[in-house]
Every structure is written in structure tokens, then in C-alpha cells.
Amino acid sequence: MTLKKLGDLNIRYITIIQLAVALLISLLFQFVIPLSWQPLDAYESGYDVKHGDPGTNLVFFTISLWYFSLSIVWFLRRDNKYINHFILYSIFPLSLIIVLEFSVLGLYYDYIHIFPLIIAFYITWKKRDNLIPYYIIYYTIFFTVWLFTVYFLKLAYYGAPLLTFILNWSVNTLLNIGYTFFVIYLKKKSRKS
């Protein structure tokens, strides 16, 4: 199936295909690709870190890996509003991680976080007019359930104290809600001109 034919599919079918490919990529990162190839994990736990070592995340359950996987499959159909919104709302969490990596850790090559951030900026620049404001409600509910579930089940992120975890979630949620209102403002302003 060529990319042109793939682009002609119904949005639901293409979303299922994109999610299936992203699932495959995420499973490869969990079970095949060594954890030491994931820059932040290797930096934090040493470059001989392996999947399943005490205190390491199950990377399959991290949102960052899903941002990365969906950024790769984004190229299959760049106008998928579901995938675009998922990646779009990664701007703040990924930016905060990258600022920390660059300024504090000196980690400048974390492709797991940098690549999806580049795609998120592109979507913001080129496709922000397609932002559907009420999607922030679904996004917030989905990610709140995801984050707190993996935290309390000790699948990912549990190395952070609960207060830090809640603070991080709160900041990212508020920034994404603020971003949504900012884009609504820009849309209204462009319609008036």
C-alpha cells in the first residue's frame, strides 16, 4: 500500500493503522532496543542499564515513548487530527524535559524527546488553525488517568516523589489549557482581520 493510497483511507482506519505501527515501535523499544539506547534512561541509570533493572521505568508505559512513536507514524498521514492533537499537547512536557536536559544534565542528544518536540512545533506552526479546543478535555482526562495509573502501579515515573509528580502534572495541564485558549484567541483575531 503506497502512502498515497494510505492517505485516502477513512480517518478511523488510518488512525488504527498509525496506532498499530506506534504500538509496534513502542514494543520494540520495550523488548528489543536496549534501554541503554534511550539517552535519558542511560544518563540516569548508567550506560549499562537494562530493561527490568530496579528503579527503571517500563518504557512502554511512558508518555514520552508514545510521543516519539506517534511522531514517527505521523508521517503516514500528517492531517490526522487525533494524532496531531496528541503530539501537539506534548510541547510543554517535552519542552520542560529538554530544558532540564540541556541546562542541568548537559544531555543534548535525547532523540526520544527532541524528535517529537520538533514535530509538535511543526504542527503548531502549520496546523494550529485545525486545533479543536474541546479536545483538551479528552486529552486531560486521558493523560491524567494514564499518568496516575502508571505512577501508582509503579510502571513508570514512580522514582519521583508524589508531590513532585503532582506538581509536574499540574504545570503541564495548566500550560496546555492556557495554550488552547491562546490558540482560540489567535483564531478569533485572524477571523476579524
Side-chain angles (χ1 to χ4, degrees), residues 89-107:
Y89 287 120
S90 74
I91 285 181
F92 296 109
L94 293 176
S95 294
L96 293 172
I97 291 169
I98 290 172
V99 165
L100 172 73
E101 288 178 341
F102 279 35
S103 63
V104 176
L105 305 178
L107 186 62

Side-chain angles (χ1 to χ4, degrees), residues 53-65:
D53 284 354
T56 58
N57 290 323
L58 291 173
V59 294
F60 180 81
F61 293 102
T62 62
I63 291 176
S64 296
L65 180 61

Side-chain angles (χ1 to χ4, degrees), residues 159-175:
L162 181 59
L163 188 59
T164 304
F165 181 78
I166 291 171
L167 180 66
N168 186 30
W169 169 83
S170 301
V171 167
N172 283 305
T173 299
L174 291 173
L175 287 171

Side-chain angles (χ1 to χ4, degrees), residues 1-25 68-81 83-84 87 115 119 122-123 127:
M1 180 177 289
T2 65
L3 283 180
K4 183 166 175 39
K5 288 182 183 176
L6 195 62
D8 293 337
L9 288 175
N10 177 298
I11 190 72
R12 288 185 182 153
Y13 294 126
I14 190 65
T15 300
I16 291 168
I17 291 168
Q18 285 178 292
L19 289 174
V21 175
L23 174 66
L24 178 63
I25 293 167
F68 177 76
S69 298
L70 288 170
S71 295
I72 292 172
V73 301
W74 173 80
F75 288 96
L76 296 176
R77 182 158 175 187
R78 291 181 237 173
D79 64 344
N80 184 331
K81 62 184 177 182
I83 303 294
N84 284 357
I87 297 169
F115 180 70
I119 300 299
Y122 176 83
I123 291 169
K127 300 184 181 289

Side-chain angles (χ1 to χ4, degrees), residues 32-166:
V32 178
I33 298 171
L35 190 57
S36 59
W37 288 16
Q38 298 175 44
L40 186 57
D41 291 293
Y43 180 88
E44 290 177 336
S45 302
Y47 290 93
D48 58 345
V49 67
K50 294 177 182 53
H51 290 287
D53 284 354
T56 58
N57 290 323
L58 291 173
V59 294
F60 180 81
F61 293 102
T62 62
I63 291 176
S64 296
L65 180 61
W66 282 92
Y67 287 146
F68 177 76
S69 298
L70 288 170
S71 295
I72 292 172
V73 301
W74 173 80
F75 288 96
L76 296 176
R77 182 158 175 187
R78 291 181 237 173
D79 64 344
N80 184 331
K81 62 184 177 182
Y82 306 114
I83 303 294
N84 284 357
H85 278 78
F86 189 93
I87 297 169
L88 184 74
Y89 287 120
S90 74
I91 285 181
F92 296 109
L94 293 176
S95 294
L96 293 172
I97 291 169
I98 290 172
V99 165
L100 172 73
E101 288 178 341
F102 279 35
S103 63
V104 176
L105 305 178
L107 186 62
Y108 305 109
Y109 57 92
D110 187 357
Y111 63 93
I112 297 288
H113 294 107
I114 293 171
F115 180 70
L117 184 63
I118 291 168
I119 300 299
F121 279 129
Y122 176 83
I123 291 169
T124 299
W125 177 48
K126 287 288 195 181
K127 300 184 181 289
R128 77 167 174 248
D129 290 340
N130 298 330
L131 178 68
I132 301 167
Y134 67 86
Y135 274 25
I136 189 66
I137 298 166
Y138 305 123
Y139 174 88
T140 301
I141 293 168
F142 178 75
F143 282 104
T144 299
V145 170
W146 180 347
L147 285 170
F148 283 93
T149 301
V150 300
Y151 182 85
F152 287 117
L153 292 178
K154 296 191 179 214
L155 301 171
Y157 310 119
Y158 59 92
L162 181 59
L163 188 59
T164 304
F165 181 78
I166 291 171

